[in-house]
């Protein structure tokens, strides 16, 4: 299979939190079933967009039975009920690349699948290739538009 970079992988409208997590589950299936795909997911969306909800669905496939909560204060939550570990980051509170080094951020990248909220605050956190998930509120905040790209 030829993997094309900078491609839209899928997009959908999600009309409930369950549909948002369903998109996360779908991406997890793709990644787990194809070892040539990046194991890094960059999550873009405003506060309350659904980044953590998407991660919840991702974890339901990649680490079944895990209780996913926001890592805002922990920096990273680890889920280890799957074949490879899942690391869920929220780097909102970090300010620069030095913070990434001092927290040990880069040591995680090779050790499992990483999902990162607020990656755009410190672009140095991104590996060479990754999935970018863009979540936008639609219908006055009642639903979400979700686009998944391979960068
Ligand atoms: N498709 C959707 N429709 C309506 N509400 C949603 C949808 N997806 C997620 N939500 C809700 O949005 C809120 C914020 O989600 P969360 O994942 O915590 O956002 P973020 O991590 O981006 O700040 C939650 O209450 C969640 O259930
Ligand atoms: Mg969140």
């Amino acid at each position: 299979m030829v993997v094309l970079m900078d491609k839209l992988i899928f997009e959908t409208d999600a009309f409930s939190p369950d549909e948002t997590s369903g998109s996360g589950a779908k991406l997890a299936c793709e990644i787990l079933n194809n070892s040539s795909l990046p194991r890094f997911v960059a999550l873009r969306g405003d506060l309350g967009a659904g980044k953590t909800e998407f991660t919840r669905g991702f974890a339901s496939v990649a680490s079944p039975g895990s209780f996913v909560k926001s890592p805002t204060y922990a920096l990273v939550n680890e889920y280890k009920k799957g074949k490879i570990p899942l690391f869920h980051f929220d780097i909102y509170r970090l300010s620069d690349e030095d913070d990434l080094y001092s927290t040990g951020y880069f040591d995680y990248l090779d050790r499992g699948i990483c999902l990162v909220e607020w990656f755009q605050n410190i672009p140095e956190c991104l590996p060479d290739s990754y999935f970018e998930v863009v979540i936008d509120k639609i219908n006055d905040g009642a639903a979400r538009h979700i686009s998944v790209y391979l960068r």
Side-chain angles (χ1 to χ4, degrees):
M1 173 191 170
V2 178
V3 176
L4 300 168
M5 310 309 264
D6 272 316
K7 278 284 169 193
L8 181 64
I9 303 300
F10 66 83
E11 67 181 326
T12 187
D13 290 336
F15 294 98
S16 67
D18 277 356
E19 289 189 11
T20 298
S21 62
S23 289
K26 180 176 170 174
L27 180 60
C29 289
E30 304 251 355
I31 290 175
L32 292 176
N33 287 328
N34 186 343
S35 59
S36 69
L37 292 174
R39 293 185 162 185
F40 188 103
V41 180
L43 298 156
R44 184 191 291 274
D46 293 341
L47 191 66
K51 303 179 293 298
T52 298
E53 196 62 49
F54 185 97
T55 302
R56 199 161 277 136
F58 194 102
S60 73
V61 169
S63 182
S66 299
F67 177 72
V68 173
K69 55 181 171 41
S70 175
T72 304
Y73 296 96
L75 177 68
V76 57
N77 289 336
E78 306 189 10
Y79 301 104
K80 296 184 167 173
K81 296 189 175 179
K83 289 197 173 117
I84 51 173
L86 194 64
F87 302 112
H88 180 203
F89 288 88
D90 183 333
I91 63 170
Y92 190 78
R93 291 169 157 261
L94 303 187
S95 16
D96 55 23
E97 194 177 4
D98 283 349
D99 282 353
L100 293 175
Y101 280 106
S102 62
T103 54
Y105 171 85
F106 292 108
D107 300 333
Y108 288 90
L109 302 191
D110 296 334
R111 290 172 38 214
I113 302 175
C114 294
L115 294 94
V116 182
E117 300 190 26
W118 298 104
F119 70 96
Q120 66 273 32
N121 285 12
I122 314 176
E124 293 87 351
C125 77
L126 292 168
D128 290 341
S129 67
Y130 56 95
F131 288 97
E132 180 175 347
V133 176
V134 182
I135 309 177
D136 289 308
K137 289 185 180 176
I138 56 172
N139 298 0
D140 286 329
R144 308 290 188 266
H145 184 74
I146 300 174
S147 311
V148 179
Y149 300 89
L150 185 56
R151 304 293 195 197

